[in-house]
Amino acid sequence: MVDEKVTIRDASEVDPNLLRMLDRGLEDIEAGRTLPHNEAMAEVRRIREARCFARSNKRVAVNV
């Protein structure tokens, strides 16, 4: 059952790269290629921090 607040979009409205990433993630789960939650969250934080750092450096370079 889907909550009334959730909007289901047609695949044509979603970034195809996102759909491929989700498919790979599900395949990894089914194959048992998973990390413990704390390790997965640490990796997510590391990736987000690197992206934020890269974005902030782009802004500085543009403003110079």
Side-chain angles (χ1 to χ4, degrees):
M1 181 175 187
V2 175
D3 190 316
E4 292 176 11
K5 298 174 189 171
V6 174
T7 302
I8 305 296
R9 295 182 182 252
D10 184 84
S12 66
E13 299 177 304
V14 180
D15 181 354
N17 291 322
L18 176 60
L19 295 176
R20 279 194 290 276
M21 288 186 286
L22 289 170
D23 286 340
R24 279 196 312 258
L26 292 172
E27 290 166 3
D28 286 342
I29 291 168
E30 290 170 347
R33 295 184 299 263
T34 60
L35 295 172
H37 180 75
N38 61 336
E39 289 179 36
M41 293 310 296
E43 183 65 7
V44 168
R45 278 189 219 91
R46 184 191 68 76
I47 292 167
R48 289 183 74 197
E49 288 170 4
R51 290 177 60 212
C52 288
F53 180 76
R55 272 197 309 261
S56 67
N57 282 343
K58 282 183 184 178
R59 281 189 218 124
V60 170
V62 170
N63 293 331
V64 173

